[in-house]
Amino acid sequence: MKTSIATVCLSGTLEEKMQACAAAGFDGIEIFESDLVVSPSSPAEIRALADRLGLTLDLYQPFRDLEGVSDELFAKNLQRLEAKFQLMQELGMDLILVPSNAGTATVSDDTIIADQLRQAAQLAQRYDMRIAYEALAWGRYVNTYWHSWQLVQAADHPNLGVCLDSFHIFSRADDPSRIPEIPAEKIYFVQLADAQDLGMDLLPWSRHHRVFPGEGSFDMVEFMTYLTEAGYTGPLSLEIFNDVFRETDTNITAADGLRSLRWIQQGARGRITPDNPVREHLTAMPKIEPVEVIDHLEISTDSPDECGALLGALGFKFIGQHRRKSVQLFVAGGVKVVLSPNVRGGTYISSVALQVTDSNDALARARALGAPVVSRPVTADEVRLPGVYGPGGMQLFFVDATSAGWPIEFGADLDQLAASTNTIRLDHLNVPEARDHFGASVLFTLATLRLTALEGQDVASPRGLVHSQVLESPEGGIRWIFNQVPRIYTNRSGEPVRYPGHIALAVSDLEQRAATAIDAGLAVLPIPTNYYVDLQARFGLDDETVERWQSLGILYDRNADGEFLHLYSETIGGLFIELVQRVGSYRDYGPGNAAVRLAAQEQHEQQDRVFSR
Ligand code: MG
Ligand code: MG
């Protein structure tokens, strides 16, 4: 379907916004009045710029507080509306958004409101304009889409239709299932916005916390499915008021927005039976099976010796150095880690390689979601792993049967690797992402790999709340957590440092593993006594167990599904390793323990620095 975006979604001037929308690949835009008012360009110049950029000007908005008013006020409103039609003529536009009256309405009579809408539509007709009437969730008398449709029906004018905005429907927990009852030709426009459930008032929620489809908790795919079933064929427009977007690089936000429109259309295709002809209106993405296995991880580090020692203490085997590059392969059980040295860049997960059926299909899907391709030249006898950059800069690589032999380049014996008796496996990844890339990274990763987002959570750290988002594959093979962190994170001395991410490895014998690893040189993050006192009180544990766990730095949780034991290594640069043991069918991550860990890391870092002076 044709794609569009309201200029209010983006930072920058109107002209910069238009450039970014065109560069991202949008077909058109909604002109937000306040963007035009502050622009030095004349309407004719904006129109010419849109032409040059190949953008259509789809909707002029908003025209507030038109209907449900006294005759006297309505006459003034019509004059105001006529002035906008004249402006729109200069812009070469023909569709204006009229949200339901939330400010000046005094008349709740549907007959009068419909009559005023009809008069407005008659005026529009004289200018060859059309009016899209939208029910604001906080409209005084009209606040449901169904009511707006009843009024449009009653007004019965060819230049009047409805605008459906997902935020106004879902934020009131309204039922979108009657959308297919509205004739497609009367749905003049559609605005898509998602949001997290923040339990706040509608107006501030809408004005500050809308996010792109897929980045919140509304069932946007359901909404898109109903629209398609109604026969609506576009445009699909994004109308996102978001404080972060207003300060984020325009191009990042525009690319993220277009990605969300690709994702939502693909999602709706999945819900509509293939024999239904309306399905063809939804733009398809290259399809892949959901990804369930991480093939290997690459750690970029300026401390390769420390990293190698940490992996060694945890039972990883050093397999060898790449025959051409100075990167090293470590393997333990089903976990393969490539260490790649950098110069003073810290330590972090630089790439994640995923097992897929066909790496070219996966690459095509990632590219359709706007990801740039990684260029990694290889020699003729080397395996090429296709890869892309995620929005935050992390690389994703795709491994299929044709490239699964890549460890040979490190001197690995594949049979020997397969015969390993070590039962260690990857439990989850935790990746820090700056605030301005967070939503984009979450959406990109879940859309590319077909993961599902669980409910977002906030974790208290000594220096602010960390918002975290868990993504999981359908079979639970991949658990990937993004943490939203400040763009510039500093230690207590004000020096910029990498906010730590981590790799969590699952074992079946945590206490024994921990003891062995500590003997082999593992430095465990010490956990304060207060934690263990609380733990004992909460779970009624015996003294001996608690003392043993404290000596090993083990944290604990228990719920109806089972038990969870875990520990953290010291942080190297911007990365640490977590060891976890899940007992029974425990699926969580030890709620509350991350806050203990963050405080312990902060404390530990302090002591470390004092000590190293
Ligand atoms: Mg709207
Ligand atoms: Mg963890």
Side-chain angles (χ1 to χ4, degrees):
M1 280 188 205
K2 184 174 188 280
T3 56
S4 189
I5 181 169
T7 54
V8 71
C9 302
L10 304 165
S11 65
T13 65
L14 180 56
E15 295 76 4
E16 286 165 350
K17 294 173 189 217
M18 292 171 70
Q19 301 275 2
C21 294
F26 280 95
D27 300 309
I29 57 170
E30 297 176 26
I31 294 271
F32 215 74
E33 185 164 85
S34 52
D35 281 323
L36 181 70
V37 169
V38 299
S39 168
S41 307
S42 70
E45 284 166 339
I46 293 299
R47 179 183 189 166
L49 176 61
D51 270 352
R52 262 203 319 282
L53 293 170
L55 290 172
T56 53
L57 300 178
D58 299 325
L59 181 81
Y60 187 88
Q61 76 136 318
F63 187 88
R64 291 204 173 102
D65 299 336
L66 168 75
E67 84 296 9
V69 295
S70 66
D71 290 348
E72 192 188 4
L73 183 53
F74 186 68
K76 285 190 185 137
N77 286 348
L78 281 186
Q79 285 171 12
R80 199 157 56 89
L81 186 60
E82 186 158 19
K84 295 303 165 195
F85 288 151
Q86 287 158 359
L87 172 67
M88 286 167 63
Q89 278 183 328
E90 291 179 58
L91 286 161
M93 300 180 71
D94 76 341
L95 186 62
I96 190 166
L97 181 76
V98 173
S100 59
N101 194 328
T104 60
T106 51
V107 181
S108 69
D109 184 329
D110 276 8
T111 314
I112 296 174
I113 296 175
D115 182 62
Q116 291 180 342
L117 288 172
R118 187 185 311 112
Q119 290 183 53
Q122 285 163 353
L123 178 64
Q125 192 171 31
R126 289 208 289 280
Y127 284 88
D128 269 336
M129 300 283 165
R130 293 177 306 140
I131 293 173
Y133 183 53
E134 173 191 53
L136 290 183
W138 54 88
R140 186 164 296 172
Y141 301 119
V142 181
N143 42 43
T144 65
Y145 77 94
W146 195 253
H147 193 188
S148 67
W149 164 233
Q150 287 175 319
L151 290 163
V152 165
Q153 266 182 301
D156 190 24
H157 194 282
N159 293 53
L160 179 70
V162 292
C163 168
L164 300 178
D165 180 322
S166 61
F167 183 89
H168 294 300
I169 295 171
F170 285 121
S171 64
R172 294 179 55 98
D174 196 0
D175 174 10
S177 68
R178 298 192 76 181
I179 290 174
E181 294 176 40
I182 306 175
E185 66 276 9
K186 279 297 191 184
I187 305 175
Y188 279 5
F189 208 71
V190 167
Q191 292 173 320
L192 298 170
D194 201 343
Q196 295 282 352
D197 186 0
L198 299 173
M200 62 193 293
D201 281 350
L202 291 170
L203 187 60
W205 187 20
S206 172
R207 291 278 161 80
H208 302 280
H209 302 285
R210 288 183 177 215
V211 289
F212 288 134
E215 297 177 2
S217 57
F218 295 160
D219 193 343
M220 296 300 297
V221 171
E222 178 194 38
F223 183 79
M224 189 66 236
T225 307
Y226 286 133
L227 274 178
T228 311
E229 285 170 355
Y232 183 75
T233 56
L236 292 179
S237 191
L238 296 162
E239 188 199 35
I240 318 290
F241 307 89
N242 182 294
D243 297 350
V244 178
F245 292 179
R246 287 176 195 270
E247 47 191 65
T248 301
D249 181 286
T250 317
N251 292 292
I252 294 174
T253 311
D256 191 26
L258 192 70
R259 178 180 303 124
S260 74
L261 291 180
R262 298 244 163 94
W263 169 83
I264 196 176
Q265 291 183 80
Q266 183 64 31
R269 281 179 70 91
R271 292 207 197 170
I272 295 172
T273 52
D275 56 333
N276 190 337
V278 298
R279 195 168 177 268
E280 290 319 303
H281 296 300
L282 296 162
T283 306
M285 263 198 313
K287 210 181 159 189
I288 61 165
E289 290 306 311
V291 180
E292 288 287 350
V293 181
I294 291 180
D295 184 78
H296 65 276
L297 300 170
E298 187 172 351
I299 297 174
S300 179
T301 179
D302 55 8
S303 314
D305 292 347
E306 272 183 76
C307 281
L310 171 60
L311 292 172
L314 292 169
F316 277 76
K317 252 180 78 178
F318 170 59
I319 302 298
Q321 176 150 328
H322 190 268
R323 60 192 181 208
R324 183 173 52 81
K325 297 178 283 188
S326 62
V327 298
Q328 302 177 328
L329 174 61
F330 289 78
V331 177
V335 188
K336 300 187 190 74
V337 173
V338 173
L339 278 192
S340 171
N342 70 48
V343 181
R344 270 181 280 177
T347 298
Y348 58 98
I349 304 168
S350 54
S351 77
V352 177
L354 302 137
Q355 287 183 12
V356 295
T357 314
D358 184 323
S359 56
N360 288 323
D361 289 350
L363 182 73
R365 183 178 178 91
R367 293 188 66 177
L369 288 161
V373 171
V374 176
S375 164
R376 258 193 189 177
V378 292
T379 60
D381 59 343
E382 284 174 358
V383 168
R384 192 183 74 85
L385 302 181
V388 294
Y389 291 98
M394 182 190 272
Q395 300 165 19
L396 294 186
F397 288 97
F398 304 110
V399 181
D400 61 18
T402 64
S403 51
W406 63 268
I408 293 170
E409 294 168 17
F410 293 81
D413 179 329
L414 295 181
D415 294 336
Q416 229 169 45
L417 285 190
S420 162
T421 55
N422 196 333
T423 53
I424 210 164
R425 36 179 203 86
L426 198 59
D427 187 86
H428 62 274
L429 289 183
N430 186 305
V431 176
E433 200 66 273
R435 202 163 88 111
D436 46 358
H437 289 108
F438 179 79
S441 290
V442 168
L443 178 61
F444 170 74
T445 308
L446 79 84
T448 304
L449 308 181
R450 300 189 60 191
L451 306 178
T452 309
L454 306 190
E455 208 176 312
Q457 282 187 342
D458 289 325
V459 177
S461 91
R463 279 179 285 161
L465 277 187
V466 176
H467 181 65
S468 88
Q469 175 68 61
V470 179
L471 305 180
E472 284 189 358
S473 60
E475 304 288 326
I478 294 179
R479 301 162 195 243
W480 186 321
I481 302 164
F482 281 103
N483 275 354
Q484 181 180 302
V485 302
R487 189 177 352 194
I488 296 171
Y489 191 73
T490 56
N491 61 21
R492 292 225 179 230
S493 333
E495 301 148 345
V497 291
R498 271 188 187 276
Y499 188 95
H502 68 269
I503 299 168
L505 304 169
V507 297
S508 53
D509 49 354
L510 184 70
E511 285 197 41
Q512 209 187 322
R513 287 263 185 179
T516 312
I518 290 168
D519 278 349
L522 171 70
V524 169
L525 179 72
I527 303 298
T529 302
N530 287 352
Y531 170 77
Y532 292 98
V533 172
D534 177 61
L535 199 63
Q536 198 160 15
R538 268 195 292 155
F539 294 112
L541 303 161
D542 62 73
D543 292 348
E544 195 201 329
T545 305
V546 170
E547 273 166 36
R548 210 173 56 243
W549 285 352
Q550 181 165 16
S551 72
L552 297 170
I554 291 178
L555 298 93
Y556 177 76
D557 185 41
R558 184 167 72 206
N559 63 23
D561 297 330
E563 293 176 280
F564 187 58
L565 290 90
H566 58 149
L567 65 81
Y568 305 103
S569 77
E570 278 187 352
T571 303
I572 301 173
L575 188 72
F576 61 92
I577 307 273
E578 178 182 7
L579 285 185
V580 313
Q581 180 182 356
R582 295 178 183 275
V583 183
S585 49
Y586 186 96
R587 293 181 59 77
D588 212 337
Y589 300 86
N593 291 356
V596 175
R597 187 254 298 166
L598 284 161
Q601 285 173 329
E602 180 94 352
Q603 174 71 13
H604 199 55
E605 181 210 309
Q606 280 283 81
Q607 288 180 347
D608 248 16
R609 218 185 20 261
V610 173
F611 183 72
S612 67
R613 273 176 200 152

